[in-house]
Every structure is written in structure tokens, then in C-alpha cells.
Amino acid sequence: MKKGMLLKGVIGMLLLFPVYSQAITLSAYIQVKQLLTQDNPANKQLESVTQAYLNGIANGLNFYAVAVKIENQNNDDFRPLYCPPPKIEQNGDFMVKHIDAYLDKNPIVKQKQKNAPIELVYILALQDAYPCDK
């Protein structure tokens, strides 16, 4: 019980203060998802902190993709990383849905890329879900 509370506290602190921490790894993402399935009053805070962290990642990548596309609109050689349909809202729920679908489709990634930052796994999931036709 104490180990679980300590792990939640450490993960919560990492998620709460991302400026001072490394990126969350795929294995940490999976651990947080498992913790959130447990019936525990502390999960409410962990869930909101996790949601805020994931929203920040999703929004950041979305804004970056839009900015890069605008900057390169006259460049015929430009190829975006992924090509989602117009007016799609990227947020934490969108991110989780796509990461989980990608991991279900590619289960070996959980083992081979467990130390990869979740942001990179998210980009791979977006590329898989929204390939560009160029």
C-alpha cells in the first residue's frame, strides 16, 4: 500500500512539475493508466494532473503542426509529420485514444520502446492514424 502511494506521489509530482522533470516515458504512462483504474480517492487528483499534462502535450503538438504548415505553405518540398482532417480537436482524451490504439495495433512497442518519451509515441500514433498522401 505504501509503495503504491509513493509511486502515485512521485508520478504526480513529475506530472505536476514537467518543467523540472524529464518527459514521461511510455512505461510511466502505462503505470499511471493502471493506477487510475484502481478505486482510490487519491486518483481524482492524479487524474486531473495527468489530464492537464496530456492536454499540454496534445495542444503543443497541434499548435506546432499548424505553425509549421503555415510557415511552409509555399514550399513544395514540405511534408508534414501527419495529416489529420481539418478542425480536429487534439486534447488529452484524443491523445490517449490514439496512443492506446497504436499500442493495441503494435504491442511490441510496449516492450521495445518502454523508455521512449510519451510525446514520441504520440507522434508515431498520429502518423499511423493520419498518414500524408504525398
Side-chain angles (χ1 to χ4, degrees), residues 40-95:
N40 188 326
N43 281 353
K44 199 69 163 165
Q45 183 179 6
L46 179 62
E47 183 177 9
S48 63
V49 170
T50 302
Q51 190 68 30
Y53 183 82
L54 297 178
N55 279 338
I57 293 168
N59 286 327
L61 282 174
N62 186 46
F63 292 136
Y64 174 77
V66 169
V68 168
K69 190 173 184 177
I70 290 170
E71 182 67 27
N72 289 286
Q73 62 189 349
N74 297 323
N75 181 352
D76 293 335
D77 294 329
F78 172 69
R79 183 161 188 248
L81 289 174
Y82 59 97
C83 298
K87 297 184 181 181
I88 197 163
E89 183 180 344
Q90 292 187 44
N91 57 30
D93 293 333
F94 178 90
M95 182 178 176

Side-chain angles (χ1 to χ4, degrees), residues 7 18 39 45 79 121:
L7 180 60
D39 186 23
Q45 183 179 6
R79 183 161 188 248
V121 176

Side-chain angles (χ1 to χ4, degrees), residues 19-40:
V19 172
Y20 301 109
S21 67
Q22 297 285 336
I24 300 299
T25 63
L26 176 58
S27 61
Y29 167 82
I30 292 168
Q31 285 178 327
V32 168
K33 285 196 63 152
Q34 289 172 346
L35 286 172
L36 290 175
T37 63
Q38 299 172 3
D39 186 23
N40 188 326

Side-chain angles (χ1 to χ4, degrees), residues 93-107:
D93 293 333
F94 178 90
M95 182 178 176
V96 168
K97 176 183 138 189
H98 283 78
I99 289 174
D100 291 350
Y102 179 75
L103 293 175
D104 287 344
K105 186 176 176 181
N106 303 285

